[in-house]
Amino acid sequence: MDPPDNIGKEYILMFMENFKLEKNRSFPLEIYISTPEKTIGHVTIDSPVSTNPRVHQTITVQPGAVQRVNISEAFRMVGSSVSSKGLLVQSDQDITVYGANKDTLSNDVYCAIPVDVLGTEYYAACFSPALIKTELGVAATQDTTSVTITLPNKDSTLTVDFQGKTYKAGESIHVKLDKYQTLQLQSSADLTGAHIVGDKPVAAFSGNIKTNIGIGKFADHLVEQLTPVDTWGKKFVTAPIPKRTTGDFFRFIASEDNTEVQITGMAPIKIPKAGDWVQVSIPSGEHKLITSSKPVMLTQYVMSQQNDSEPADPSMMIIPPYELFGAKYTFSTPQYSRPDYGAGYEYQHEFMVIVKDTDRQTLLLDDKPFPSNAHWTPIPGTDLVGGYVTVSAGSHSVRNTDPTALIGGYLYGHAFHESYGFPTGMRLAKINAVSK
């Protein structure tokens, strides 16, 4: 039996704060829904405990297509607070879900995780220095859920102001949440490594309101839905962002003490404590095999553009371990926030893929042979290759004629002062479930 993946019948979503550049301009939050089934799916999107704002929509999803649902931006969280802004997505058959949090020239997308594979333990991934603030979010799946967030102590200046109290680095925040309630915490310092623990399964998110990355000045929203610690792995393969020369940042967060990370061609990296993290830069054009002695979470950060020849705002992607690669994905490209800018300002979408070299010839994109103009690179120390291809706006699927062939897939898009990036899917087996 295949391990569970990011396909399910029930999801609980939330949207963290994004930067509002134009105070009088409203952008809806976007939920993208597709089904891997061969029949039409019936999906309901609801705000179970929020009546103002409120949403209750029922849609149908055609096989092989992606349906976009617009949600009022009033469901976006603000500040360090507890709210009732959890969104319930339910279907009569399996679906995949992606959330796009878009405002003027500020966007990122996350791959949603079904309720039945959520966990009780997470670590936040953000980026620093933060242009505005880093943030994390939690959505409860059951009533009377006790959530404890222990702040990282890597930066002694870190503080979080919440419910009339200032919490400092290393201190714990205790919150009781009922089903569909949402919690957001923010800090001017880096919340990466914040330890999120619930006594019942929760959905967890993290990122930045808006930030630049590297020496470039252009900034963007960052967000990912976090994967539970019990799904973290020990083998990864990285893919560089296409058509860039700045390289990419990668952060490794440890789930256990005394973790050692080995990147092909680089000196070993030691991470002394659970929740600690290290950041490395990997040059553009280089794919890397990464192994760790104990399970880690890996996030990739796209750097801000440094000149007009490489338009690319920041984005953040969780990189699934190789053990959790999936066999097929259906996904959709989001829309640029300012289509009124006209031709030449739309997103350019790049699909990045990692497969065994022997599986490359039988890879299918939209049920047709993978494009012959794809760029392929052998990955040193492995039998894998990394490739990328530009895809058109709209819905896409990727699979292999061999249903057992595993695929790593990521979608990245860039436009004028805006970008996004997310894994197109992953399996979510509890490969790190042994008690520590």
Side-chain angles (χ1 to χ4, degrees):
M1 182 177 178
D2 288 338
D5 51 22
N6 65 298
I7 298 173
K9 295 180 180 178
E10 181 175 284
Y11 297 77
I12 295 177
L13 309 183
M14 69 172 288
F15 291 87
M16 297 190 302
E17 186 169 354
N18 194 348
F19 179 70
K20 195 157 191 64
L21 179 65
E22 300 173 289
K23 304 302 181 185
N24 298 321
R25 186 180 179 94
S26 177
F27 286 90
L29 306 169
E30 298 172 348
I31 301 174
Y32 291 82
I33 303 171
S34 66
T35 179
E37 305 294 345
K38 297 180 179 180
T39 57
I40 294 175
H42 300 86
V43 182
T44 299
I45 303 95
D46 199 6
S47 57
V49 294
S50 176
T51 57
N52 185 24
R54 182 177 185 271
V55 61
H56 182 79
Q57 294 187 42
T58 299
I59 64 168
T60 56
V61 181
Q62 299 289 335
V66 178
Q67 183 77 29
R68 188 186 73 202
V69 179
N70 290 336
I71 302 296
S72 168
E73 69 173 357
F75 282 98
R76 186 181 287 149
M77 296 289 290
V78 177
S80 292
S81 61
V82 172
S83 190
S84 299
K85 295 183 177 180
L87 296 169
L88 174 64
V89 180
Q90 287 183 308
S91 174
D92 61 353
Q93 64 183 35
D94 283 340
I95 55 174
T96 58
V97 177
Y98 305 91
N101 190 347
K102 180 169 64 182
D103 215 295
T104 305
L105 305 180
S106 185
N107 183 34
D108 208 0
V109 180
Y110 63 82
C111 176
I113 297 175
V115 169
D116 61 354
V117 289
L118 293 174
T120 59
E121 183 184 14
Y122 302 84
Y123 285 96
C126 309
F127 191 83
S128 61
L131 180 65
I132 303 176
K133 289 185 177 181
T134 63
E135 56 189 358
L136 63 85
V138 179
T141 67
Q142 298 180 38
D143 286 336
T144 61
T145 298
S146 295
V147 180
T148 298
I149 297 95
T150 302
L151 302 178
N153 56 15
K154 190 167 187 173
D155 181 353
S156 62
T157 69
L158 183 147
T159 60
V160 171
D161 295 323
F162 177 66
Q163 295 184 339
K165 181 178 178 180
T166 297
Y167 294 85
K168 299 179 180 180
E171 294 183 342
S172 294
I173 300 171
H174 303 280
V175 183
K176 190 83 75 173
L177 299 176
D178 283 332
K179 195 173 186 179
Y180 310 120
Q181 280 194 308
T182 48
L183 164 70
Q184 179 174 270
L185 298 178
Q186 296 178 332
S187 177
S188 297
D190 197 346
L191 285 169
T192 297
H195 193 198
I196 303 165
V197 177
D199 66 344
K200 299 168 187 175
V202 296
F205 306 78
S206 67
N208 290 53
I209 294 178
K210 191 172 184 176
T211 195
N212 63 308
I213 295 179
I215 64 174
K217 296 181 179 179
F218 295 102
D220 213 335
H221 179 59
L222 303 183
V223 65
E224 280 285 38
Q225 180 164 2
L226 299 170
T227 52
V229 169
D230 60 16
T231 67
W232 292 10
K234 297 189 286 187
K235 180 180 178 181
F236 301 83
V237 182
T238 67
I241 298 301
K243 304 175 183 177
R244 298 300 310 280
T245 62
T246 58
D248 302 295
F249 285 143
F250 291 84
R251 285 192 175 187
F252 302 87
I253 304 175
S255 65
E256 299 182 37
D257 296 348
N258 301 315
T259 296
E260 183 172 289
V261 176
Q262 179 67 64
I263 305 173
T264 301
M266 300 175 67
I269 299 169
K270 296 184 184 299
I271 309 177
K273 296 291 184 181
D276 284 356
W277 56 271
V278 295
Q279 177 177 298
V280 300
S281 176
I282 296 179
S284 294
E286 292 189 12
H287 294 72
K288 293 289 189 181
L289 170 66
I290 297 170
T291 57
S292 59
S293 61
K294 299 173 183 178
V296 298
M297 183 171 76
L298 174 60
T299 50
Q300 180 173 3
Y301 297 86
V302 181
M303 293 195 195
S304 301
Q305 71 179 72
Q306 298 175 15
N307 56 64
D308 292 338
S309 66
E310 292 184 9
D313 271 11
S315 59
M316 176 176 76
M317 291 188 290
I318 286 180
I319 305 303
Y322 179 76
E323 300 98 317
L324 299 186
F325 278 13
K328 58 182 179 180
Y329 310 114
T330 300
F331 56 91
S332 180
T333 62
Q335 293 183 338
Y336 184 47
S337 70
R338 295 304 301 264
D340 53 308
Y341 282 3
Y345 288 92
E346 304 91 348
Y347 272 126
Q348 180 171 319
H349 311 279
E350 311 285 357
F351 176 65
M352 298 172 283
V353 62
I354 295 171
V355 294
K356 286 187 176 181
D357 190 32
T358 54
D359 294 330
R360 177 160 53 104
Q361 300 302 324
T362 50
L363 191 65
L364 302 178
L365 181 66
D366 301 329
D367 288 325
K368 297 177 182 178
F370 210 75
S372 59
N373 63 349
H375 302 259
W376 293 102
T377 302
I379 301 176
T382 76
D383 58 356
L384 305 171
V385 291
Y388 76 87
V389 64
T390 300
V391 295
S392 60
S395 304
H396 298 281
S397 64
V398 62
R399 65 181 180 90
N400 201 292
T401 56
D402 177 0
T404 66
L406 298 182
I407 303 167
Y410 313 93
L411 188 64
Y412 168 73
H414 59 94
F416 179 72
H417 287 197
E418 189 175 307
S419 70
Y420 70 86
F422 62 94
T424 54
M426 68 192 85
R427 300 187 294 175
L428 286 161
K430 298 183 184 300
I431 57 176
N432 183 27
V434 178
S435 298
K436 297 185 285 291

